[in-house]
Amino acid sequence: MRSLLSPLGAVARAASFRMLQTSAMRTFSVSALSGFSGSKTVGSEQKNTLSSEAPRKTGKNILSRKTFLVDFYKHMNDTNDILLYVHHNNMVKADTLRIRSDLQRLGVQLLFLRNGIYKVYLRSSEEENPALAEATQKNKHVKHPLSVLLNGPTAVIAIKECNPRVVESVMKVLKSANDKLMLMGARVETAVYTASQVDQFKSLPTKEELQAQLAGLLAYLGGAGLVRTLESNGTALYLTLEQRSKDMDPLEKSEES
């Protein structure tokens, strides 16, 4: 009996191994980081195919913290209209938790920077892929206007939309931090602001308020009145030029006579 079971057991184990191997091949997919696009079915077989896009040739290993942070800083800059750069000083964990909580209630984030890596990103921020070794080498002598704000421990307050009211509320939180967070400057859309310019910006009307003022002005002028206002000078100019043309054209004068 044992001699019969042993071959059967070996066959069963071999069949089980082949089943597991086939299942693994069917579910196997290679991540984009290793340069593969996944698996492709040909009949009943699975063949792993190389991606049409070559792996990124980054300055550091593609899985390194530096590459991750450069990619993250690009995402942060691309997805926020306003970035407030602040110097943090002697902040303990309780301070960080309290301030982050206050800012989150405003819908904004406090993010601590690695200045050296952020400067690497800034130098190549105009590139589609700033983490590439080629971009780093190409832009190594670039001086970005925001780099002057990165002196000492630096953090960023990221604001999604360009809204002076939100900036005004954030400034109140910074004031309550008792000099543990000091505003150094900002990037507002594509412009670089000093701390004093940010203080002026927070008092400006929002885009919605400006649109409401414009709508009120148009309603006050009225549809027909606005058309007359826009066309009056042009019409008068046209009539003047037409009359002048008639005066200077002798053929037209003879036809009229």
Side-chain angles (χ1 to χ4, degrees):
M1 177 68 84
R2 182 175 298 177
S3 61
L4 291 174
L5 290 177
S6 296
L8 289 174
V11 171
R13 286 195 297 272
S16 176
F17 175 78
R18 284 195 298 272
M19 289 175 63
L20 289 172
Q21 187 179 40
T22 301
S23 176
M25 287 296 293
R26 287 177 179 172
T27 57
F28 178 77
S29 62
V30 183
S31 75
L33 295 177
S34 60
F36 289 85
S37 62
S39 56
K40 182 179 179 181
T41 305
V42 181
S44 60
E45 297 179 355
Q46 300 283 335
K47 292 186 178 181
N48 296 317
T49 57
L50 284 171
S51 171
S52 59
E53 296 183 3
R56 295 195 304 164
K57 295 181 180 180
T58 54
K60 294 292 184 179
N61 186 288
I62 198 165
L63 296 177
S64 69
R65 181 170 178 80
K66 180 178 180 180
T67 302
F68 167 79
L69 285 175
V70 171
D71 288 340
F72 173 75
Y73 292 150
K74 174 176 171 56
H75 174 77
M76 178 184 73
N77 277 49
D78 289 348
T79 56
N80 293 280
D81 284 348
I82 298 178
L83 295 175
L84 301 179
Y85 295 85
V86 294
H87 177 84
H88 58 91
N89 183 38
N90 296 327
M91 287 182 61
V92 297
K93 185 176 181 180
D95 295 326
T96 304
L97 292 175
R98 177 180 59 81
I99 293 171
R100 271 190 166 149
S101 178
D102 292 341
L103 293 173
Q104 284 173 355
R105 280 195 284 270
L106 301 175
V108 304
Q109 286 184 300
L110 174 66
L111 304 164
F112 294 94
L113 296 180
R114 292 278 298 275
N115 287 3
I117 298 178
Y118 191 68
K119 287 179 180 178
V120 171
Y121 158 72
L122 287 178
R123 287 194 289 268
S124 300
S125 58
E126 299 299 323
E127 304 288 341
E128 182 178 356
N129 196 334
L132 293 183
E134 181 183 359
T136 301
Q137 181 65 24
K138 172 185 172 184
N139 301 302
K140 63 181 180 179
H141 298 301
V142 171
K143 300 293 184 183
H144 196 280
L146 286 173
S147 61
V148 298
L149 304 178
L150 306 175
N151 292 318
T154 308
V156 160
I157 298 174
I159 304 174
K160 291 287 185 184
E161 297 180 356
C162 187
N163 189 334
R165 297 290 81 76
V166 176
V167 175
E168 185 178 22
S169 299
V170 170
M171 296 290 281
K172 293 178 181 178
V173 175
L174 295 182
K175 189 176 180 179
S176 69
N178 297 324
D179 295 331
K180 292 187 177 181
L181 283 177
M182 295 180 292
L183 180 67
M184 306 299 293
R187 192 216 72 195
V188 179
E189 294 183 337
T190 58
V192 177
Y193 283 17
T194 63
S196 60
Q197 288 173 324
V198 174
D199 193 56
Q200 295 173 3
F201 172 80
K202 69 182 178 60
S203 302
L204 295 177
T206 65
K207 291 179 180 179
E208 291 75 14
E209 291 170 344
L210 289 174
Q211 289 170 350
Q213 292 174 13
L214 178 60
L217 178 61
L218 294 177
Y220 173 77
L221 291 173
L226 178 60
V227 171
R228 286 194 298 271
T229 301
L230 294 175
E231 292 184 347
S232 58
N233 293 335
T235 303
L237 178 61
Y238 171 75
L239 293 175
T240 301
L241 291 174
E242 185 180 32
Q243 185 60 45
R244 182 61 176 165
S245 176
K246 289 179 180 180
D247 293 341
M248 296 179 65
D249 190 349
L251 180 60
E252 191 165 351
K253 282 184 179 181
S254 63
E255 288 179 355
E256 289 179 356
S257 59

